[in-house]
Amino acid sequence: LTGNVNLLAANLTSQVRAIAEVATAVTKGDLTRSIQVDARGEVAELKDNINTMIGNLRLTTDVNTEQDWLKTNLAKFTNMLQGQRDLVTVGKMLLSELTPLVNAQMGVIYQMDAGDPPALRLLSSYADHPVDGHPKLFLLGQGLIGQCAADRRTLLVSDVERAVPIASALMQVTPKNIIVLPVLFESQVNAVIELSSLVDFTELQKVFLEQLTANIGIVLNSIEATMQT
């Protein structure tokens, strides 16, 4: 009887200690922990409820962190581009900040030229290949750039095997993912941005790029209107 009581007390102590340890970690902001101790009855129910609570809290925290990242960076680009009056400067500034932010290694932006015929001309580039770089001009419907402008919607290409290589002095590799985004203002294409990366674009990055291009469209239209004036 004494042995059974001691065993019961030891089990209960280890269970309470495990629950208390995880609860303390959660209060300090560590949401990676969960209660792993064996338990039965009401203690098992308590353990499962706490683990569920931690999982829900982790999910909510992740969502809030993503939303904070999204809002912070959208505001950053909006403030950065405010007051700019030169399209080339905006293109260079945009790519130099945007490309590394979304874990891309190469980027280009083409400006819509409403001539006859309409075409997209290379405005700025980021880490473009010195020999096999992007063409200076695309007609509507020509290549991914031209097709993106014609369709006015985002194009995403995964598992790329041949593309303009990402190069440095020490290496030259083919990007694995390419995203092409139209920059619209009142349903009209002002520009097209193409980014290439060695890794997959996350859903958060895609949402960010979609929202950012809408803001960029307003900026580019404002600059073009000022230049015409």
Side-chain angles (χ1 to χ4, degrees):
L1 178 61
T2 301
N4 288 337
V5 171
N6 288 337
L7 180 60
L8 177 63
N11 288 339
L12 184 58
T13 300
S14 64
Q15 292 167 358
V16 173
R17 185 179 293 119
I19 293 173
E21 182 182 354
V22 173
T24 301
V26 171
T27 60
K28 294 180 180 180
D30 183 3
L31 301 178
T32 63
R33 305 282 295 276
S34 62
I35 304 170
Q36 301 295 334
V37 69
D38 292 332
R40 296 181 180 178
E42 294 175 344
V43 177
E45 184 177 353
L46 174 62
K47 180 193 78 170
D48 292 340
N49 289 338
I50 292 177
N51 284 341
T52 301
M53 179 188 69
I54 295 172
N56 292 337
L57 185 59
R58 185 189 304 121
L59 180 61
T60 301
T61 302
D62 290 344
V63 170
N64 290 339
T65 301
E66 290 181 351
Q67 289 301 312
D68 288 343
W69 182 89
L70 187 65
K71 293 176 182 178
T72 299
N73 283 292
L74 285 173
K76 171 187 173 182
F77 276 86
T78 300
N79 294 333
M80 180 181 69
L81 297 177
Q82 273 185 343
Q84 297 296 327
R85 290 294 179 266
D86 181 71
L87 287 173
V88 175
T89 301
V90 167
K92 291 180 178 179
M93 186 184 301
L94 177 64
L95 290 179
S96 66
E97 295 291 335
L98 176 61
T99 309
L101 180 64
V102 295
N103 292 329
Q105 287 74 44
M106 185 185 296
V108 289
I109 179 170
Y110 284 79
Q111 180 189 1
M112 175 61 77
D113 182 354
D116 187 19
L120 293 125
R121 299 185 183 277
L122 183 63
L123 180 65
S124 183
S125 63
Y126 178 93
D128 203 4
H129 195 279
V131 178
D132 301 320
H134 290 73
K136 302 297 183 183
L137 182 142
F138 281 101
L139 299 177
L140 285 181
Q142 186 180 47
L144 291 179
I145 296 289
Q147 194 61 49
C148 175
D151 294 342
R152 298 196 293 272
R153 66 173 179 231
T154 299
L155 302 175
L156 178 64
V157 183
S158 302
D159 299 324
V160 177
E161 295 184 359
R162 292 177 61 88
V164 175
I166 297 170
S168 74
L170 299 177
M171 61 90 181
Q172 181 167 295
V173 293
T174 301
K176 297 302 180 185
N177 291 275
I178 295 174
I179 190 168
V180 190
L181 305 124
V183 178
L184 304 175
F185 180 78
E186 295 181 349
S187 300
Q188 299 299 314
V189 177
N190 279 10
V192 172
I193 297 174
E194 180 179 359
L195 300 170
S196 57
S197 174
L198 298 175
V199 297
D200 293 337
F201 292 101
T202 66
E203 290 302 321
L204 177 61
Q205 290 169 345
K206 295 175 189 176
V207 171
F208 170 71
L209 290 170
E210 293 277 0
Q211 295 187 19
L212 179 64
T213 49
N215 295 348
I216 297 172
I218 298 173
V219 173
L220 294 184
N221 183 77
S222 176
I223 295 175
E224 289 175 352
T226 301
M227 292 173 64
Q228 290 176 1
T229 301

Coordinates of all heavy atoms in Angstrom, one line a residue, residues 72-148:
T72 N 3.5 47.0 -41.7 CA 4.8 47.8 -41.5 C 5.5 48.0 -42.8 O 5.9 49.1 -43.1 CB 5.7 47.0 -40.5 OG1 5.0 46.9 -39.2 CG2 7.0 47.8 -40.3
N73 N 5.6 47.0 -43.6 CA 6.4 47.1 -44.8 C 5.6 47.8 -45.9 O 6.2 48.6 -46.7 CB 6.8 45.7 -45.4 CG 8.0 45.1 -44.6 OD1 9.1 45.6 -44.7 ND2 7.7 44.1 -43.8
L74 N 4.3 47.7 -45.9 CA 3.5 48.5 -46.9 C 3.7 50.0 -46.5 O 3.8 50.8 -47.4 CB 2.0 48.1 -46.8 CG 1.7 46.8 -47.5 CD1 0.2 46.4 -47.2 CD2 1.9 46.9 -49.0
A75 N 3.6 50.3 -45.2 CA 3.8 51.7 -44.8 C 5.2 52.2 -45.1 O 5.4 53.4 -45.5 CB 3.5 51.8 -43.3
K76 N 6.2 51.3 -45.0 CA 7.6 51.7 -45.3 C 7.7 52.1 -46.7 O 8.3 53.1 -47.0 CB 8.5 50.5 -44.9 CG 9.9 50.7 -45.4 CD 10.7 49.4 -45.2 CE 12.1 49.5 -45.8 NZ 12.9 48.3 -45.6
F77 N 7.2 51.3 -47.6 CA 7.3 51.6 -49.1 C 6.5 52.8 -49.4 O 6.9 53.6 -50.3 CB 6.9 50.4 -49.9 CG 8.0 49.4 -50.1 CD1 8.2 48.4 -49.2 CD2 8.8 49.4 -51.2 CE1 9.2 47.5 -49.3 CE2 9.8 48.5 -51.3 CZ 10.0 47.5 -50.4
T78 N 5.3 53.0 -48.8 CA 4.5 54.2 -49.1 C 5.3 55.5 -48.7 O 5.3 56.4 -49.5 CB 3.2 54.1 -48.4 OG1 2.5 52.9 -48.8 CG2 2.3 55.3 -48.7
N79 N 5.9 55.5 -47.5 CA 6.6 56.6 -47.1 C 7.9 56.8 -47.9 O 8.2 58.0 -48.2 CB 7.0 56.5 -45.6 CG 5.8 56.4 -44.7 OD1 4.8 57.0 -45.0 ND2 5.9 55.8 -43.6
M80 N 8.5 55.7 -48.3 CA 9.8 55.9 -49.1 C 9.5 56.5 -50.5 O 10.3 57.2 -51.0 CB 10.4 54.5 -49.3 CG 11.7 54.4 -50.0 SD 12.3 52.7 -50.2 CE 11.1 52.0 -51.3
L81 N 8.4 56.1 -51.1 CA 8.1 56.6 -52.5 C 7.4 57.9 -52.5 O 7.3 58.5 -53.6 CB 7.3 55.5 -53.2 CG 7.9 54.2 -53.4 CD1 7.0 53.2 -54.1 CD2 9.2 54.3 -54.2
Q82 N 6.9 58.4 -51.4 CA 6.2 59.7 -51.4 C 7.2 60.8 -51.7 O 8.3 60.9 -51.3 CB 5.6 60.0 -50.0 CG 4.2 59.4 -49.7 CD 3.7 59.8 -48.4 OE1 4.4 60.2 -47.5 NE2 2.4 59.6 -48.3
G83 N 6.7 61.7 -52.6 CA 7.4 62.9 -53.0 C 8.4 62.6 -54.1 O 9.1 63.6 -54.5
Q84 N 8.6 61.4 -54.6 CA 9.5 61.1 -55.6 C 9.0 61.7 -57.0 O 7.8 61.6 -57.2 CB 9.8 59.6 -55.8 CG 10.4 59.0 -54.5 CD 11.8 59.6 -54.3 OE1 12.6 59.9 -55.3 NE2 12.2 59.7 -53.0
R85 N 9.9 62.2 -57.8 CA 9.4 62.8 -59.0 C 10.2 62.2 -60.3 O 10.0 62.8 -61.4 CB 9.6 64.3 -59.0 CG 8.7 65.0 -58.0 CD 7.2 64.9 -58.5 NE 6.3 65.5 -57.6 CZ 5.6 64.9 -56.7 NH1 5.8 63.6 -56.5 NH2 4.7 65.5 -55.9
D86 N 10.9 61.2 -60.1 CA 11.7 60.6 -61.2 C 11.5 59.1 -61.3 O 11.7 58.4 -60.3 CB 13.2 60.9 -61.0 CG 14.0 60.4 -62.1 OD1 14.0 60.9 -63.2 OD2 14.7 59.4 -61.9
L87 N 11.0 58.6 -62.4 CA 10.6 57.2 -62.6 C 11.8 56.3 -62.4 O 11.7 55.2 -61.8 CB 10.0 57.0 -63.9 CG 8.5 57.6 -64.1 CD1 8.1 57.4 -65.5 CD2 7.6 56.8 -63.1
V88 N 13.0 56.7 -63.0 CA 14.2 55.8 -62.9 C 14.6 55.7 -61.4 O 14.9 54.6 -61.0 CB 15.3 56.4 -63.7 CG1 16.6 55.6 -63.5 CG2 14.9 56.4 -65.2
T89 N 14.6 56.8 -60.7 CA 14.9 56.8 -59.3 C 14.0 55.9 -58.5 O 14.4 55.1 -57.6 CB 14.9 58.2 -58.7 OG1 15.8 59.0 -59.4 CG2 15.3 58.1 -57.2
V90 N 12.7 56.0 -58.8 CA 11.7 55.1 -58.1 C 11.9 53.7 -58.4 O 11.9 52.8 -57.5 CB 10.3 55.6 -58.5 CG1 9.2 54.5 -58.1 CG2 9.9 56.9 -57.9
G91 N 12.2 53.4 -59.7 CA 12.5 52.0 -60.1 C 13.7 51.4 -59.3 O 13.6 50.3 -58.8
K92 N 14.8 52.1 -59.3 CA 16.0 51.6 -58.6 C 15.7 51.5 -57.1 O 16.1 50.5 -56.5 CB 17.1 52.6 -58.8 CG 17.6 52.6 -60.3 CD 18.8 53.5 -60.4 CE 19.4 53.5 -61.9 NZ 20.5 54.4 -62.0
M93 N 15.1 52.5 -56.5 CA 14.8 52.4 -55.1 C 13.9 51.3 -54.7 O 14.1 50.6 -53.7 CB 14.2 53.8 -54.7 CG 13.9 54.0 -53.2 SD 13.1 55.5 -52.8 CE 14.3 56.7 -53.5
L94 N 12.9 51.1 -55.5 CA 11.9 50.1 -55.3 C 12.5 48.7 -55.3 O 12.3 47.9 -54.4 CB 10.8 50.2 -56.3 CG 9.7 49.1 -56.3 CD1 8.9 49.2 -55.0 CD2 8.8 49.2 -57.5
L95 N 13.3 48.4 -56.4 CA 13.9 47.1 -56.5 C 14.9 46.8 -55.5 O 15.1 45.7 -55.0 CB 14.5 46.9 -57.9 CG 13.5 46.8 -59.1 CD1 14.2 46.7 -60.4 CD2 12.5 45.6 -58.9
S96 N 15.7 47.8 -55.1 CA 16.8 47.6 -54.1 C 16.2 47.3 -52.7 O 16.9 46.6 -52.0 CB 17.7 48.9 -54.0 OG 16.9 50.0 -53.5
E97 N 15.0 47.7 -52.4 CA 14.4 47.4 -51.1 C 13.5 46.2 -51.2 O 13.5 45.4 -50.3 CB 13.6 48.6 -50.7 CG 14.4 49.9 -50.3 CD 15.2 49.7 -49.1 OE1 14.9 48.8 -48.2 OE2 16.3 50.4 -49.0
L98 N 12.8 46.1 -52.3 CA 11.8 45.0 -52.5 C 12.4 43.6 -52.7 O 12.0 42.6 -52.1 CB 10.8 45.3 -53.6 CG 9.8 44.3 -53.9 CD1 8.9 44.1 -52.7 CD2 9.0 44.7 -55.2
T99 N 13.4 43.5 -53.5 CA 14.0 42.2 -53.9 C 14.5 41.4 -52.7 O 14.1 40.3 -52.5 CB 15.1 42.4 -55.0 OG1 14.6 43.2 -56.1 CG2 15.5 41.1 -55.5
P100 N 15.4 42.0 -51.9 CA 15.8 41.2 -50.7 C 14.7 41.0 -49.7 O 14.7 40.0 -49.0 CB 17.0 42.0 -50.2 CG 16.7 43.4 -50.7 CD 16.1 43.3 -52.0
L101 N 13.7 41.9 -49.6 CA 12.7 41.8 -48.6 C 11.9 40.5 -48.8 O 11.5 39.8 -47.8 CB 11.8 43.0 -48.6 CG 10.6 43.0 -47.6 CD1 11.1 43.0 -46.2 CD2 9.7 44.2 -47.9
V102 N 11.6 40.1 -50.1 CA 10.8 38.9 -50.3 C 11.7 37.7 -50.7 O 11.3 36.7 -51.3 CB 9.8 39.2 -51.5 CG1 8.8 40.2 -51.0 CG2 10.5 39.6 -52.7
N103 N 13.0 37.8 -50.3 CA 13.9 36.7 -50.5 C 14.2 36.4 -52.0 O 14.4 35.2 -52.4 CB 13.5 35.4 -49.8 CG 13.6 35.6 -48.3 OD1 14.5 36.3 -47.7 ND2 12.7 34.9 -47.5
A104 N 14.1 37.4 -52.8 CA 14.4 37.2 -54.2 C 15.8 37.6 -54.5 O 16.4 38.3 -53.6 CB 13.5 38.0 -55.1
Q105 N 16.4 37.2 -55.6 CA 17.8 37.6 -55.8 C 18.0 38.4 -57.1 O 19.1 38.9 -57.4 CB 18.7 36.3 -56.0 CG 18.9 35.5 -54.7 CD 17.7 34.8 -54.2 OE1 17.0 34.1 -54.9 NE2 17.5 34.9 -52.9
M106 N 16.9 38.5 -57.9 CA 17.0 39.3 -59.1 C 15.6 39.9 -59.4 O 14.6 39.3 -59.1 CB 17.4 38.4 -60.3 CG 17.6 39.2 -61.6 SD 18.0 38.0 -63.0 CE 19.5 37.3 -62.4
G107 N 15.6 41.1 -59.9 CA 14.4 41.8 -60.2 C 14.5 42.8 -61.3 O 15.6 43.4 -61.5
V108 N 13.4 43.0 -62.0 CA 13.4 44.0 -63.1 C 12.0 44.7 -63.1 O 11.0 44.1 -62.6 CB 13.6 43.4 -64.5 CG1 15.0 43.0 -64.7 CG2 12.6 42.3 -64.8
I109 N 11.9 45.9 -63.5 CA 10.7 46.6 -63.6 C 10.6 47.3 -65.0 O 11.6 47.9 -65.5 CB 10.5 47.7 -62.5 CG1 9.1 48.4 -62.7 CG2 11.6 48.7 -62.5 CD1 8.8 49.3 -61.5
Y110 N 9.5 47.0 -65.7 CA 9.3 47.6 -67.1 C 8.2 48.6 -67.0 O 7.1 48.4 -66.4 CB 8.9 46.5 -68.0 CG 10.0 45.6 -68.5 CD1 10.5 44.6 -67.7 CD2 10.7 45.8 -69.7 CE1 11.6 43.8 -68.1 CE2 11.7 45.0 -70.2 CZ 12.2 44.0 -69.3 OH 13.2 43.2 -69.7
Q111 N 8.4 49.7 -67.7 CA 7.4 50.8 -67.7 C 6.6 50.7 -69.0 O 7.1 50.4 -70.1 CB 8.0 52.1 -67.6 CG 7.1 53.3 -67.7 CD 7.8 54.6 -67.9 OE1 9.0 54.7 -67.9 NE2 7.0 55.7 -67.9
M112 N 5.3 50.9 -68.9 CA 4.4 50.8 -70.1 C 4.6 52.1 -70.9 O 4.5 53.2 -70.4 CB 2.9 50.7 -69.7 CG 2.0 50.8 -70.8 SD 2.2 49.5 -72.1 CE 1.4 48.1 -71.2
D113 N 4.8 51.9 -72.2 CA 5.0 53.0 -73.1 C 3.8 52.9 -74.1 O 3.7 52.0 -74.9 CB 6.3 52.9 -73.9 CG 6.5 54.0 -74.9 OD1 5.6 54.8 -75.0 OD2 7.6 54.1 -75.5
A114 N 2.9 53.9 -74.0 CA 1.6 53.8 -74.8 C 1.9 54.4 -76.1 O 1.2 55.3 -76.6 CB 0.5 54.6 -74.0
G115 N 2.8 53.8 -76.9 CA 3.1 54.2 -78.2 C 2.3 53.4 -79.2 O 1.3 52.9 -78.9
D116 N 2.8 53.4 -80.4 CA 2.2 52.6 -81.5 C 3.3 51.7 -82.1 O 4.0 52.2 -83.0 CB 1.6 53.5 -82.5 CG 0.7 52.7 -83.5 OD1 0.4 51.6 -83.2 OD2 0.5 53.3 -84.6
P117 N 3.3 50.4 -81.8 CA 2.4 49.7 -80.9 C 2.8 49.9 -79.4 O 4.0 50.3 -79.1 CB 2.6 48.3 -81.2 CG 4.0 48.2 -81.7 CD 4.3 49.5 -82.4
P118 N 1.9 49.7 -78.4 CA 2.2 49.8 -77.0 C 3.3 48.8 -76.7 O 3.3 47.7 -77.2 CB 0.9 49.4 -76.3 CG -0.1 49.7 -77.3 CD 0.5 49.3 -78.7
A119 N 4.2 49.2 -75.8 CA 5.3 48.3 -75.4 C 5.7 48.5 -74.0 O 5.4 49.6 -73.4 CB 6.5 48.5 -76.4
L120 N 6.5 47.6 -73.4 CA 7.0 47.8 -72.1 C 8.6 47.9 -72.2 O 9.2 47.0 -72.7 CB 6.7 46.6 -71.2 CG 5.2 46.4 -71.0 CD1 4.7 45.1 -71.4 CD2 4.9 46.7 -69.5
R121 N 9.1 49.0 -71.6 CA 10.5 49.3 -71.7 C 11.1 49.1 -70.4 O 10.6 49.5 -69.3 CB 10.7 50.7 -72.2 CG 10.1 51.0 -73.6 CD 10.5 52.3 -74.2 NE 9.8 52.5 -75.5 CZ 10.3 52.1 -76.6 NH1 11.5 51.5 -76.6 NH2 9.7 52.3 -77.7
L122 N 12.3 48.6 -70.4 CA 13.1 48.3 -69.1 C 13.4 49.6 -68.4 O 14.0 50.5 -69.0 CB 14.4 47.5 -69.4 CG 15.2 47.1 -68.2 CD1 14.4 46.2 -67.3 CD2 16.5 46.5 -68.6
L123 N 12.8 49.8 -67.2 CA 13.0 51.0 -66.4 C 14.2 50.8 -65.5 O 15.1 51.7 -65.4 CB 11.8 51.3 -65.6 CG 11.8 52.5 -64.7 CD1 12.0 53.8 -65.6 CD2 10.6 52.6 -63.9
S124 N 14.3 49.7 -64.8 CA 15.4 49.5 -63.8 C 15.5 48.0 -63.6 O 14.6 47.2 -63.8 CB 15.1 50.2 -62.5 OG 16.2 50.1 -61.6
S125 N 16.7 47.6 -63.1 CA 17.0 46.2 -62.8 C 17.8 46.0 -61.5 O 18.4 47.0 -61.1 CB 17.7 45.5 -64.0 OG 19.0 46.1 -64.1
Y126 N 17.7 44.9 -60.9 CA 18.4 44.5 -59.7 C 19.2 43.2 -59.9 O 18.6 42.2 -60.2 CB 17.4 44.4 -58.5 CG 18.1 44.0 -57.2 CD1 18.5 45.0 -56.3 CD2 18.3 42.7 -56.9 CE1 19.0 44.7 -55.1 CE2 18.9 42.4 -55.6 CZ 19.2 43.4 -54.8 OH 19.8 43.0 -53.6
A127 N 20.5 43.3 -59.9 CA 21.4 42.1 -60.0 C 21.1 41.4 -61.4 O 21.2 40.2 -61.4 CB 21.2 41.2 -58.9
D128 N 20.8 42.1 -62.4 CA 20.6 41.5 -63.7 C 21.9 40.9 -64.2 O 23.0 41.4 -63.9 CB 20.0 42.5 -64.7 CG 19.2 41.8 -65.8 OD1 19.1 40.6 -65.8 OD2 18.8 42.6 -66.7
H129 N 21.8 39.9 -65.0 CA 23.0 39.2 -65.6 C 23.6 40.1 -66.6 O 23.0 40.7 -67.4 CB 22.6 37.9 -66.2 CG 23.7 37.0 -66.5 ND1 24.6 37.1 -67.6 CD2 24.2 35.9 -65.8 CE1 25.5 36.2 -67.5 NE2 25.3 35.5 -66.5
P130 N 25.0 40.3 -66.5 CA 25.7 41.2 -67.4 C 25.7 40.8 -68.8 O 25.9 41.7 -69.7 CB 27.1 41.2 -66.8 CG 27.3 39.9 -66.1 CD 25.9 39.6 -65.5
V131 N 25.5 39.5 -69.1 CA 25.6 39.1 -70.5 C 24.2 38.6 -71.0 O 23.7 39.1 -72.0 CB 26.6 37.9 -70.7 CG1 26.6 37.4 -72.1 CG2 28.0 38.4 -70.3
D132 N 23.6 37.7 -70.2 CA 22.3 37.1 -70.6 C 21.1 37.9 -69.8 O 20.2 37.2 -69.3 CB 22.2 35.6 -70.2 CG 23.3 34.9 -70.9 OD1 23.6 35.2 -72.1 OD2 23.9 34.0 -70.3
G133 N 21.2 39.2 -69.8 CA 20.2 39.9 -69.0 C 18.9 40.0 -69.7 O 18.7 39.5 -70.8
H134 N 18.0 40.7 -69.1 CA 16.6 40.8 -69.6 C 16.6 41.8 -70.9 O 17.4 42.8 -70.9 CB 15.7 41.4 -68.6 CG 15.4 40.4 -67.5 ND1 16.3 40.1 -66.5 CD2 14.3 39.7 -67.2 CE1 15.8 39.2 -65.7 NE2 14.6 38.9 -66.1
P135 N 15.7 41.5 -71.8 CA 15.6 42.4 -73.0 C 15.2 43.8 -72.6 O 14.5 44.0 -71.5 CB 14.5 41.7 -73.8 CG 14.5 40.3 -73.4 CD 14.9 40.3 -71.9
K136 N 15.5 44.8 -73.4 CA 15.1 46.2 -73.1 C 13.7 46.5 -73.4 O 13.2 47.5 -72.9 CB 16.0 47.1 -74.0 CG 17.5 46.9 -73.7 CD 17.9 47.3 -72.3 CE 19.4 47.1 -72.1 NZ 19.8 47.4 -70.7
L137 N 13.0 45.6 -74.2 CA 11.6 46.0 -74.6 C 10.8 44.7 -74.8 O 11.3 43.7 -75.3 CB 11.7 46.8 -75.9 CG 10.3 47.3 -76.4 CD1 10.5 48.7 -77.0 CD2 9.8 46.4 -77.6
F138 N 9.5 44.7 -74.4 CA 8.6 43.7 -74.7 C 7.3 44.3 -75.3 O 6.8 45.3 -74.8 CB 8.2 42.9 -73.4 CG 9.2 41.9 -72.9 CD1 10.1 42.2 -71.9 CD2 9.3 40.7 -73.5 CE1 11.0 41.3 -71.5 CE2 10.2 39.7 -73.1 CZ 11.1 40.0 -72.1
L139 N 6.8 43.7 -76.3 CA 5.5 44.1 -76.8 C 4.4 43.4 -76.0 O 4.7 42.4 -75.3 CB 5.3 43.7 -78.3 CG 6.3 44.3 -79.3 CD1 6.1 43.8 -80.7 CD2 6.2 45.8 -79.3
L140 N 3.2 43.9 -76.0 CA 2.1 43.3 -75.3 C 1.9 41.8 -75.8 O 1.9 41.6 -77.0 CB 0.8 44.0 -75.5 CG 0.6 45.4 -74.8 CD1 -0.7 46.0 -75.1 CD2 0.8 45.2 -73.3
G141 N 1.8 40.9 -74.8 CA 1.6 39.5 -75.2 C 2.9 38.8 -75.5 O 2.9 37.6 -75.7
Q142 N 4.1 39.5 -75.4 CA 5.3 38.9 -75.7 C 6.0 38.5 -74.4 O 6.3 39.3 -73.6 CB 6.2 39.9 -76.5 CG 7.5 39.3 -77.0 CD 8.3 40.3 -77.7 OE1 8.5 41.4 -77.3 NE2 8.8 39.9 -78.9
G143 N 6.3 37.2 -74.3 CA 7.0 36.7 -73.0 C 6.1 36.9 -71.8 O 4.9 37.3 -71.9
L144 N 6.6 36.5 -70.7 CA 5.8 36.7 -69.4 C 5.5 38.1 -69.1 O 4.4 38.4 -68.6 CB 6.5 36.0 -68.3 CG 6.6 34.5 -68.3 CD1 7.4 34.0 -67.1 CD2 5.3 33.8 -68.3
I145 N 6.5 39.0 -69.4 CA 6.3 40.4 -69.1 C 5.1 41.0 -70.0 O 4.2 41.6 -69.5 CB 7.5 41.2 -69.4 CG1 8.7 40.8 -68.5 CG2 7.3 42.7 -69.3 CD1 8.5 41.2 -67.1
G146 N 5.2 40.7 -71.3 CA 4.1 41.2 -72.2 C 2.8 40.5 -71.9 O 1.7 41.2 -72.0
Q147 N 2.8 39.2 -71.5 CA 1.5 38.5 -71.3 C 0.9 39.0 -70.0 O -0.3 39.2 -69.8 CB 1.8 37.0 -71.2 CG 0.5 36.2 -71.2 CD -0.3 36.4 -72.5 OE1 0.3 36.3 -73.6 NE2 -1.6 36.7 -72.4
C148 N 1.7 39.3 -69.0 CA 1.2 39.8 -67.7 C 0.5 41.2 -67.9 O -0.5 41.4 -67.4 CB 2.4 40.0 -66.7 SG 2.0 40.8 -65.2

